[in-house]
């Protein structure tokens, strides 16, 4: 039996039309192109510039950048070994962007670097709705600013993107983890509080108690939540400078009219966060409710070898969850790009003329379809209908002799004779009107 190949579990093809993969609807390429271009446009308005980094990075970069104790690094990396080298398919893009910033000395461009990205990421999680093994993130990073304005602008940009797509049924949670000393002191306080209750913790949390007790704070387990209600609070450990920074972030968010709730348990999965953390959730998404999240990571650059710390903040968001939220909100997305005109040719001479004319029209910017199989007139008309062409241009030897072609508007059914030399102009002007 011939072998047939399929996409790997947790990955999917993006086709011209909407398709279904493992029970989930995958929008077609026109929808992806549209959403990506709107995201790029909003990023530009907020004065961000795009960077594109490789899909493959050194394993060590991600291990250091994301943190060896995290789920991502300890369980979810796709590793590629080659000779003595070890690479990973990037599970996120912050560490790669900071690597690029350091490698290319982007600080020398002057000012604050405001960078964004859109592209695939890979995590070996168990796939379910809203959670894939290859997914797409968009996100941005501000490098070189520790002011609370950078935090608030970043958060408001994130919200603006969802608002632009009609997604307003969201909740923004924010927290401050304080600086490194605060976190070290708090980590110990939390560990001392939880240690006597170790038996009551889930297996995962018991492991985290030793390696990364802060992660226990974002547990979903009811019993653990009750236990945590009596735990020392991170907010009480913030020093004066951290407190001031956190207050300022909130004041600037108020300035921009961004609604938020404070969540003292919001720590997020990645090791490198300090001070501000935030997450945007939707109630419409089911189990995978996080649309986007991020935070400040002033210590990451030195972790990756920088001599000086680089104060920085970023967010990352999932494209697939944005699409799920849009679908829940009933937002319409563009379908296929339809041709401005489809040529129907009758006979050999007409077919040659059409072949040349289609090329000429494409060179002046029109989207033109034509028959590639020598089909009958009826079959060509069917193809024009299938492609939902705006107009059909009917060309036979009679028309060529008369120097005119018949142009039929497919929506109204109206037909007009147009002189050959006027065809491009006619299609261009009426395209503007109907598009
Ligand atoms: P994280 O870096 O884990 O906070 O991820 C940032 C965002 O990326 C999340 O809020 C999700 O929208 C999206 N995301 C993360 N992991 C996945 C995944 N496995 N599948 C789909 N989207 C994901």
């Amino acid at each position: 039996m011939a072998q047939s190949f399929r996409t790997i579990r947790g990955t999917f093809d993006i086709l011209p039309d909407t398709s279904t993969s493992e029970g989930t609807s995958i929008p077609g390429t026109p929808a992806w192109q549209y959403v990506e271009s709107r995201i790029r446009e909003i990023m530009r308005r907020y004065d961000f510039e795009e960077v594109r980094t490789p899909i493959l990075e050194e394993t060590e970069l991600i291990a250091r950048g994301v943190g060896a104790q995290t789920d991502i690094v300890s369980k979810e990396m796709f590793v590629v070994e080659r000779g003595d080298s070890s690479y990973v398919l990037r599970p996120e893009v912050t560490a790669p962007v900071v690597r690029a910033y350091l490698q290319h000395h982007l600080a020398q461009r002057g000012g604050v670097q405001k960078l964004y990205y859109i592209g695939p990421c890979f995590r070996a999680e168990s796939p379910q709705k809203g959670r894939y093994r290859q997914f797409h993130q968009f996100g941005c990073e501000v490098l070189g600013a520790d002011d609370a304005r950078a935090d608030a602008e970043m958060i408001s940009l994130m919200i603006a993107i969802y608002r632009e797509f009609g997604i307003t049924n969201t909740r923004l949670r924010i927290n401050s983890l304080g600086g490194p000393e605060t976190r070290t002191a708090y980590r110990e306080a939390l560990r001392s509080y939880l240690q006597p209750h170790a038996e009551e913790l889930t297996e995962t949390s018991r492991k985290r108690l030793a390696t990364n007790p802060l992660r226990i704070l974002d547990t979903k387990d009811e019993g653990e939540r009750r236990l945590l209600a009596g735990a020392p609070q991170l907010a009480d450990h913030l020093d004066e400078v951290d407190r001031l920074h956190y207050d300022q972030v909130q004041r600037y968010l108020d300035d921009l009219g961004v609604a938020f709730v404070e969540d003292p348990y919001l720590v997020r999965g990645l090791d490198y966060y300090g001070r501000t953390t935030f997450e945007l959730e939707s109630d419409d998404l089911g189990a995978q409710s996080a649309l986007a999240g991020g935070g400040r990571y002033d210590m990451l650059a030195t972790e990756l070898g920088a001599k000086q710390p680089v104060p920085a903040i970023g967010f990352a968001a999932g494209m697939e969850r944005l699409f799920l939220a849009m679908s829940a909100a009933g937002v319409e997305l563009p379908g296929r790009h339809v041709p401005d005109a489809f040529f129907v040719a009758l006979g050999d001479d007409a077919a040659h003329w059409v072949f040349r004319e289609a090329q000429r029209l494409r060179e002046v910017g029109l989207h033109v379809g034509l028959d590639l199989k020598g089909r009958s007139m009826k079959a060509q008309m069917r193809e024009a209908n299938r492609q939902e062409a705006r107009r059909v241009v009917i060309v036979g030897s009679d028309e060529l002799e008369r120097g005119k072609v018949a142009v039929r508007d497919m929506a109204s059914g109206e037909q007009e004779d147009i002189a050959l030399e006027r065809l491009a102009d006619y299609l261009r002007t009426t395209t503007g009107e109907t598009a």
Side-chain angles (χ1 to χ4, degrees):
M1 199 177 76
Q3 188 176 1
S4 68
F5 295 102
R6 303 187 60 80
T7 42
I8 298 164
R9 211 164 84 84
T11 72
F12 51 84
D13 295 314
I14 304 173
L15 302 174
D17 297 321
T18 303
S19 56
T20 304
S21 171
E22 297 170 27
T24 321
S25 165
I26 307 294
T29 42
W32 284 77
Q33 289 167 1
Y34 165 78
V35 169
E36 285 166 357
S37 77
R38 291 281 288 275
I39 291 172
R40 286 174 207 283
E41 147 83 34
I42 301 165
M43 296 289 192
R44 245 193 325 269
R45 277 191 240 156
Y46 280 74
D47 200 23
F48 280 77
E49 298 174 286
E50 187 181 3
V51 284
R52 302 187 190 195
T53 64
I55 302 296
L56 275 183
E57 292 279 1
E58 281 188 54
T59 304
E60 185 60 19
L61 168 73
I62 303 298
R64 286 236 206 139
V66 179
Q69 306 303 336
T70 57
D71 288 351
I72 294 181
V73 170
S74 60
K75 297 194 286 211
E76 298 168 359
M77 292 204 296
F78 282 105
V79 179
V80 182
E81 307 278 1
R82 207 179 142 74
D84 292 335
S85 305
S86 173
Y87 311 111
V88 281
L89 301 178
R90 65 182 191 192
E92 57 99 59
V93 195
T94 300
V97 170
V98 175
R99 178 207 40 73
Y101 172 90
L102 297 173
Q103 179 177 340
H104 304 285
H105 309 287
L106 295 186
Q108 288 175 7
R109 297 173 81 215
V112 172
Q113 303 305 310
K114 299 174 69 176
L115 306 171
Y116 79 86
Y117 56 83
I118 305 184
C121 292
F122 305 82
R123 295 184 194 174
E125 302 187 81
S126 52
Q128 52 172 273
K129 186 178 175 194
R131 193 157 86 190
Y132 310 94
R133 292 187 149 188
Q134 172 168 352
F135 58 102
H136 300 76
Q137 280 193 342
F138 61 94
C140 41
E141 319 289 347
V142 171
L143 296 134
D146 62 4
D147 194 280
R149 260 170 291 205
D151 307 45
E153 184 190 63
M154 167 79 39
I155 293 171
S156 76
L157 160 59
M158 179 182 80
I159 305 272
I161 291 175
Y162 289 90
R163 207 175 35 224
E164 182 87 5
F165 291 114
I167 295 158
T168 48
N169 188 17
T170 55
R171 203 163 346 106
L172 171 67
R173 296 183 293 131
I174 65 168
N175 190 23
S176 174
L177 303 178
E181 291 94 45
T182 303
R183 268 206 318 291
T184 311
Y186 179 67
R187 194 177 296 133
E188 286 322 308
L190 186 63
R191 192 177 277 143
S192 313
Y193 170 81
L194 288 174
Q195 196 67 60
H197 302 280
E199 291 305 306
E200 301 162 45
L201 297 175
T202 59
E203 197 189 327
T204 317
S205 292
R206 223 171 303 138
K207 271 192 208 135
R208 285 177 174 161
L209 189 56
T211 54
N212 191 358
L214 257 64
R215 282 298 310 282
I216 301 174
L217 291 179
D218 65 11
T219 179
K220 301 241 166 11
D221 182 88
E222 283 299 322
E224 290 186 344
R225 284 212 183 231
R226 274 197 299 278
L227 191 58
L228 285 171
Q233 293 287 309
L234 188 54
D236 299 331
H237 283 72
L238 295 185
D239 66 25
E240 219 170 294
V241 187
D242 293 336
R243 185 75 247 173
L244 182 68
H245 191 270
Y246 191 31
D247 288 344
Q248 283 177 333
V249 172
Q250 299 187 27
R251 290 242 314 270
Y252 284 122
L253 286 175
D254 287 340
D255 278 346
L256 300 177
V258 174
F260 58 86
V261 287
E262 283 185 73
D263 177 355
Y265 298 128
L266 177 66
V267 289
R268 297 191 34 79
L270 314 187
D271 267 1
Y272 50 64
Y273 286 112
R275 287 199 172 164
T276 314
T277 56
F278 53 90
E279 206 156 274
L280 188 71
E281 281 179 327
S282 161
D283 289 333
D284 301 332
L285 289 193
Q288 304 303 318
S289 62
L291 287 170
R296 191 161 262 294
Y297 52 88
D298 298 346
M299 304 310 296
L300 179 56
T302 40
E303 187 63 38
L304 299 183
K307 295 204 176 64
Q308 304 289 331
V310 180
I313 182 158
F315 82 80
M319 287 286 284
E320 290 77 7
R321 291 191 200 169
L322 170 61
F323 279 121
L324 285 171
M326 278 198 257
S327 153
V331 178
E332 291 260 345
L333 284 167
R336 69 179 305 159
H337 302 289
V338 300
D340 298 316
F342 190 93
F343 276 108
V344 170
L346 304 150
D348 224 28
D349 287 351
H352 274 284
W353 184 86
V354 159
F355 204 59
R356 291 191 302 271
E357 185 67 4
Q359 165 88 341
R360 206 172 69 78
L361 295 180
R362 287 166 174 170
E363 281 170 1
V364 300
L366 286 156
H367 175 170
V368 174
L370 78 165
D371 175 46
L372 290 178
K373 300 209 302 189
R375 283 176 282 196
S376 70
M377 176 176 178
K378 211 163 133 197
Q380 292 183 57
M381 286 301 289
R382 249 201 322 271
E383 179 61 20
N385 270 317
R386 192 189 70 81
Q387 295 195 18
E388 298 169 45
R390 293 206 173 90
R391 280 160 302 237
V392 168
V393 181
I394 302 159
V395 190
S397 40
D398 283 359
E399 279 83 0
L400 292 182
E401 258 165 45
R402 281 192 293 126
K404 287 187 168 173
V405 287
V407 180
R408 183 183 304 169
D409 184 296
M410 296 298 270
S412 67
E414 276 169 33
Q415 192 159 315
E416 244 185 285
D417 282 346
I418 304 296
L420 297 183
E421 63 279 8
R422 277 193 56 227
L423 184 60
D425 281 343
Y426 177 83
L427 290 176
R428 239 198 324 237
T429 40
T430 49
T431 292
E433 286 160 21
T434 52

